[in-house]
Amino acid sequence: MADNNPRSVDPATLEMIDRASEAAVATAWDRLESQEPQCGFGRLGICCRNCTMGPCRIDPFGEGADRGVCGATADTIVARNLLRALLSGAAAHSDHGRDIVHALALAAKGKSEAYRIKGPEKLRGLAREYGIAEKDRSDEEVASDLAQFLLAEFGKQEGVLANLARVPEQQQKNWAALGVTPRGVDRDIVTGMHMTHIGVDNDPEHLILGSVRAALADGWGGSMIATDVSDVLFGEPQPTRSLANLGVLKEDEVNLVVHGHEPTLSEVIVAAASDPELLALAESKGAKGINLAGICCTANEILMRHGIPLAGNFLQQELAIITGVVDAMVVDVQCIMPAIARLQECFHTKIFSTSSKAQFPGMTHIEFHEDEAMETAKKLVRLAIENFANRSPEKVCVPKQKEGLVAGFTTEDIFTFLGGRYRPSYRPLNAGIQTGRVRGLAGVVGCNNARFTHDRYHLEMGKELIRNEVLVVQTGCSAIACAKAGLLAPEAAEKYAGKGLQEICRAVGIPPVLHVGSCVDNSRILTAIVEVVKEGGLGDSMDKVPVAGAAPEWMSEKAISIGMYVVASGIFTVVNPPLPVQGSRQVEELLTKTFEQHFGAAWAFEEDPIKGAHLMSDHIDRKRRELGLPPLMYEVPYAPKGNDDPDG
Ligand code: BF8
């Protein structure tokens, strides 16, 4: 068991955990304790429940059973389990993408009050890219064709994903050689499920390659489509100031917290919360306004487009309710703990589930459909207002912590920023790396996990990377963790970054840690690296760029898919906890070693965040040496011997 003491490094979280225990309310940390010791077979990936001759488990010490009833070995079982978990993650992202495309199709009809095309430039850029006629046509006409084109990417039966054209040649060659070129989003997920059925695919390496193909269909397909179409529909994010942590909740206003993932709902709630009639209703109930805040990735979506504050990340969802001031929480899909429903018994918060895919016993279900989005959003805001009067003053306890941040960088605007408004270009970034002012880039992403001190791994890794001249980009709950600690504020550069990175941040006015969105927006990291490659001077394929990735507190199956498509795209990635594959030496070696030959990048498992940051730094330095780049411009705290020596 990894350390679970203290439970968090975030003072607001610690205060609310104490508050929960005073109120005798169990949280994820308490439930974790009641689960201990957790199942070692599951942790190692060596139990199989894929047929009813089982469940079977393999003895990791080699003394008991070495095969399941059907004869499956530990290697097969581990690979099959990993594939199944990954498919669930890929399906979650991709289904999210599909729903956004449906909303685009609705906007294209021009009759929706809720959805309009707010990113016409992106719309037309995508149309040109996919060969859809756009000249002398209205946005709606183009959007209609684009929606049909993208919906077909999900159900594609022949050929390969259209976004493959975005991928540098070397990555495409790697994928073709291994038979992992993604074809259709749904197809690769369904084929993967078929492969895991009893008596189908039993070759560990083939199963893992099946997982790569499905992950690529997510990263370059479903997730990328979700990101692109969100930008078309809701507008391309712009760097925006806001605040993060539970202190954004207001005692004198109606607090409505959105939690989940799909901006189709949260975007419309943003509009509904500023409806004059509803504001007047809130005032008539004694509230000074309507305060909207977010948890998890839907928070990231509306933060980067509207500056809506972040109430917290995954492990703070229960704690937000325990403040006693959340009048309504509206949830949709993914990362919503069923536990929050029970908190309604102790606190006045009303929780509404809204997705046809996700119902929760104890929550009130108000199903959201895109074609009546605004009515539903207004109804939910009204219900929050009506619940304001039901607060129990003696239960109110709002931590004071809230930290300033800048969020909302994208592939398109990060380097418009760096290149200047009139000459948008990745040149300054590439030049910064080439001259050694910046060591390289890192994507630090992913969840919280109650098994590890909340937020500690994200913060320690993030700080260590920027101190070592690595520009960090972030998504998901990792971005929220760093936002709460002030790393997403421009001032963080002076406080924590190495001298070269400081100079760049100061010149351009950006933080050393850039928020690029929600978890589907990890696709922005892929496309940003593609732009770095296209700009030239840092290698002709993604695996040659001095870049690394990490998910230091991951827990969700989506993170497995993200990690897999990132690694297969040539980006070395460190994760904690390890993937549940350590019951098979063959699978572990494949992922952490052989992948390097397959994709130019591999997975690494490292439970210490500082050591993890150093693995990333070392990898970046290796890429610098292979490119013949000079030593770093300034001496930095972490510089292992020989790493900056161009001769190696
Ligand atoms: O999709 S980082 S805990 S909220 S899975 Fe979930 Fe993990 Fe948070 Fe966003 Ni991503």
Side-chain angles (χ1 to χ4, degrees), residues 93 261 296-297 314 334-335 446-448 476-477 519 555-556 558:
H93 277 151
H261 282 77
C296 285
C297 280
F314 174 71
Q334 301 170 22
C335 306
C447 322
N448 299 134
C477 290
C519 281
M555 63 87 201
S556 114
K558 291 181 288 173

Side-chain angles (χ1 to χ4, degrees), residues 316-359:
Q316 289 178 289
Q317 56 187 285
E318 296 173 280
L319 309 181
I321 295 169
I322 295 169
T323 63
V325 296
V326 174
D327 303 301
M329 184 178 274
V330 175
V331 306
D332 55 13
V333 288
Q334 301 170 22
C335 306
I336 296 143
M337 292 189 198
I340 58 175
R342 280 191 67 187
L343 291 174
Q344 294 172 111
E345 294 162 17
C346 309
F347 297 90
H348 85 297
T349 307
K350 289 215 159 61
I351 312 182
F352 301 99
S353 55
T354 57
S355 168
S356 61
K357 296 163 207 160
Q359 298 205 10

